Amino acid sequence: GEDVEQSLFLSVREGDSSVINCTYTDSSSTYLYWYKQEPGAGLQLLTYIFSNMDMKQDQRLTVLLNKKDKHLSLRIADTQTGDSAIYFCAENSQAGTALIFGKGTTLSVSS
Amino acid sequence: GAGVSQSPSNKVTEKGKDVELRCDPISGHTALYWYRQSLGQGLEFLIYFQGNSAPDKSGLPSDRFSAERTGGSVSTLTIQRTQQEDSAVYLCASSLKRGYEQYFGPGTRLTVT
């Protein structure tokens, strides 16, 4: 079945780069997504990548996609304390009617 | 423009009562989704609406859960005879159409006592 896996925790120092990794199972997903959730808030769409792309850069964010290995990563450059949150990787379900989410990676940034 | 809005933001109810949760999608978005977020289960898909098509109800956990979308806009998720395991944050999302990026509302935190 469809499944998305992420490591649960990442701790970095302010100013360092953060890399959050994700593996997925459904190779037919047209897009792959990264969402951010701050405490007590909903999900904020951070960025997404079309499945025929290898890389997408958006300011401090870089998304890398390895379709062969079904591996997706999110790199945050110059990580700030405001980046502390839970980051979710998601793919479209085969029917395209839902997002399948990983369990989320809690990013902790220390100053 | 305005994002997805949900009401109420918090709801405390007694076990056995019925609750209604409301979602207002982004104007012009034809697709609407409900998800549930709980500590043990993570983010789970509940139901999907697309225009006037029959909804995809495959994620609803039991027949106590139902949802409707009136006039292709506002949606209501109803939980009948609430149980303690229904306690969770219920998130609504909308997208321009199926398969497009989904934008989420702030959620309704439901606590069943």
Side-chain angles (χ1 to χ4, degrees), chain A residues 23 27 29 33 36-37 39 50 57 68 74 88 91 96 100 103 108:
Chain A
T23 57
S27 57
S29 187
Y33 305 87
K36 176 183 180 183
Q37 186 175 38
F50 190 50
Q57 189 150 2
K68 175 176 168 289
L74 174 69
F88 292 92
E91 63 173 349
I100 310 299
K103 296 288 188 196
S108 174

Side-chain angles (χ1 to χ4, degrees), chain A residues 13 15 22 27 31 35 37 41 43 45 53-54 60 64 67 71-72 75 81-82 92 99 105 111:
Chain A
R13 287 191 177 275
C22 167
S27 57
Y31 292 96
Y35 284 86
Q37 186 175 38
L43 293 169
L45 177 62
M53 296 172 65
D54 298 326
R60 292 190 298 121
L64 295 178
K67 282 197 74 174
H71 182 267
L72 183 73
R75 179 177 180 270
T81 54
N92 289 113
L99 288 176
T105 299
S111 56

Side-chain angles (χ1 to χ4, degrees), chain B residues 5 15 22 38-40 43 50 53 56 64 66 77-78 81-82 92 99 102 104:
Chain B
S5 61
K15 178 181 169 182
R22 178 188 165 104
S38 57
L39 279 175
L43 277 153
Q50 171 70 59
S53 303
D56 176 356
R64 295 186 297 105
S66 63
L77 177 69
T78 301
R81 305 180 303 281
T82 51
C92 176
Q102 296 181 25
F104 283 78

Side-chain angles (χ1 to χ4, degrees), chain B residues 63-85:
Chain B
D63 58 8
R64 295 186 297 105
F65 287 72
S66 63
E68 62 177 22
R69 188 179 184 194
T70 51
S73 181
V74 170
S75 176
T76 303
L77 177 69
T78 301
I79 309 173
Q80 295 179 309
R81 305 180 303 281
T82 51
Q83 303 294 312
Q84 286 188 328
E85 61 262 30

Side-chain angles (χ1 to χ4, degrees), chain A residues 30-31 33 35 37 40-45 48 86 88 92-103, chain B residues 33 35 37 40-45 47-48 56 58 89 91 98-107 109:
Chain A
T30 308
Y31 292 96
Y33 305 87
Y35 284 86
Q37 186 175 38
L43 293 169
Q44 174 196 352
L45 177 62
Y48 57 94
I86 303 175
F88 292 92
N92 289 113
S93 65
Q94 286 189 351
T97 57
L99 288 176
I100 310 299
F101 288 89
K103 296 288 188 196
Chain B
Y33 314 77
Y35 294 84
Q37 185 175 29
Q41 299 299 320
L43 277 153
E44 304 171 276
F45 163 74
I47 189 168
Y48 154 81
D56 176 356
S58 60
V89 176
L91 294 164
R98 189 181 82 168
Y100 280 54
E101 65 274 17
Q102 296 181 25
Y103 295 90
F104 283 78
R109 180 173 296 279

Side-chain angles (χ1 to χ4, degrees), chain A residues 70-89:
Chain A
K70 296 182 186 173
H71 182 267
L72 183 73
S73 67
L74 174 69
R75 179 177 180 270
I76 305 173
D78 186 27
T79 314
Q80 303 297 306
T81 54
D83 295 323
S84 293
I86 303 175
Y87 291 80
F88 292 92
C89 169

